[in-house]
Amino acid sequence: MTTLYGIPLSPFVRKVCFAMAEKNIDYDLDPVAPFPPHNQSPEFLAVSPLGKIPALRDGDFTISDSSVIINYLDRKHPEINLLPQDAEDCARALWFEEFADTKLIETIGPIFFNRIVKPTILKQEPDQAVIDATLEALPERFDYLEAQLTNGDFLVGDRLSLADVAIGSMLRTHQVAGETIDATRWPQLAAYYERLTNRPAFKTVIAAEERLIASMGG
Ligand SMILES: N[C@@H](CCC(=O)N[C@@H](CS)C(=O)NCC(=O)O)C(=O)O
């Protein structure tokens, strides 16, 4: 039995959900929220020593961190691989994952946190100044991605890779935060996101997430 710990509203958890759906891996979701006391129980800390989501249990084996989890799953279930075999393609896929998990999160996470997490989960007022400053920084990141999307349907090579699940998950956070990619300014990026979210695996994850959002009243 494989268990994924975390709520898929987290872009890091969703990234693993996209990866597992694309790889046809069955799992149960244990919806641990990334706040005390939920992420501080001794049971959860044994699986995720930093108290962060996502974490994974696969039989007796446990491991945390979205990048590490996907790397593990790609070796354990290599039939549909997300890390390309070719060294250069693999490096580029890891680069886009890094870009998503460090740079995109900086300019999308605070919008999502203030618009969604604060009012619906933490029952706090959003900070509009933070939202405005973050929105100002985002176009530069989208310009970069737009310039990378010149070689076909995917960021790396001619099929889906880790790059797409990582970037796709952050773009989904942008959408959940109430934003849309301006197709007149970033036509490649808007079309790319649309293609990704029309994939059956992405659709399944997004539908489950929509149910979760509806249950939160958000
Ligand atoms: N590098 C980690 C980042 C995970 C992360 O930051 N998760 C957030 C939720 S989106 C979290 O658990 N935050 C709680 C905390 O930092 O205590 C990964 O890729 O899994």
Side-chain angles (χ1 to χ4, degrees):
M1 175 54 67
T2 305
T3 303
L4 181 65
Y5 299 87
I7 44 176
L9 277 176
S10 151
F12 299 103
V13 175
R14 186 189 305 110
K15 183 173 96 175
V16 177
C17 293
F18 281 161
M20 289 173 99
E22 286 287 346
K23 289 170 76 61
N24 294 321
I25 300 172
D26 284 334
Y27 62 97
D28 287 333
L29 190 72
D30 185 337
V32 177
F35 311 107
H38 317 278
N39 66 344
Q40 294 301 319
S41 71
E43 296 77 28
F44 183 64
L45 288 173
V47 180
S48 180
L50 300 182
K52 290 179 190 271
I53 55 171
L56 185 87
R57 176 180 297 283
D58 186 19
D60 292 336
F61 178 72
T62 60
I63 196 73
S64 62
D65 190 282
S66 63
S67 307
V68 179
I69 292 170
I70 294 176
N71 201 308
Y72 163 75
L73 291 172
D74 224 40
R75 283 166 186 258
K76 182 99 192 275
H77 303 270
E79 305 79 23
I80 300 173
N81 63 310
L82 293 173
L83 285 152
Q85 297 292 337
D86 176 78
E88 289 183 10
D89 281 354
C90 186
R92 276 179 60 71
L94 288 165
W95 157 250
F96 282 115
E97 180 186 44
E98 177 66 12
F99 181 78
D101 292 0
T102 58
K103 282 294 161 196
L104 271 191
I105 187 75
E106 266 176 22
T107 40
I108 291 177
I111 308 170
F112 169 73
F113 185 72
N114 276 280
R115 285 211 184 125
I116 308 293
V117 179
K118 273 193 168 179
T120 56
I121 300 177
L122 302 178
K123 311 292 178 208
Q124 293 172 7
E125 287 295 311
D127 186 334
Q128 191 57 43
V130 170
I131 296 174
D132 292 344
T134 315
L135 280 172
E136 234 172 82
L138 188 55
E140 192 186 328
R141 311 276 153 87
F142 279 5
D143 287 348
Y144 172 73
L145 288 173
E146 179 76 10
Q148 301 302 309
L149 283 163
T150 49
N151 280 336
D153 286 356
F154 303 100
L155 276 165
V156 177
D158 57 5
R159 51 179 285 258
L160 187 99
S161 76
L162 173 64
D164 306 303
V165 301
I167 298 286
S169 182
M170 289 298 163
L171 294 178
R172 169 69 185 158
T173 299
H174 177 255
Q175 184 183 30
V176 175
E179 295 292 315
T180 46
I181 301 168
D182 179 352
T184 54
R185 181 159 180 188
W186 299 289
Q188 301 291 345
L189 187 62
Y192 166 76
Y193 181 62
E194 172 133 14
R195 275 194 306 275
L196 281 184
T197 49
N198 276 319
R199 294 176 69 83
F202 277 58
K203 274 186 164 172
T204 306
V205 173
I206 289 171
E209 186 181 323
E210 297 285 1
R211 289 194 290 276
L212 177 70
I213 295 171
S215 76
M216 287 164 41

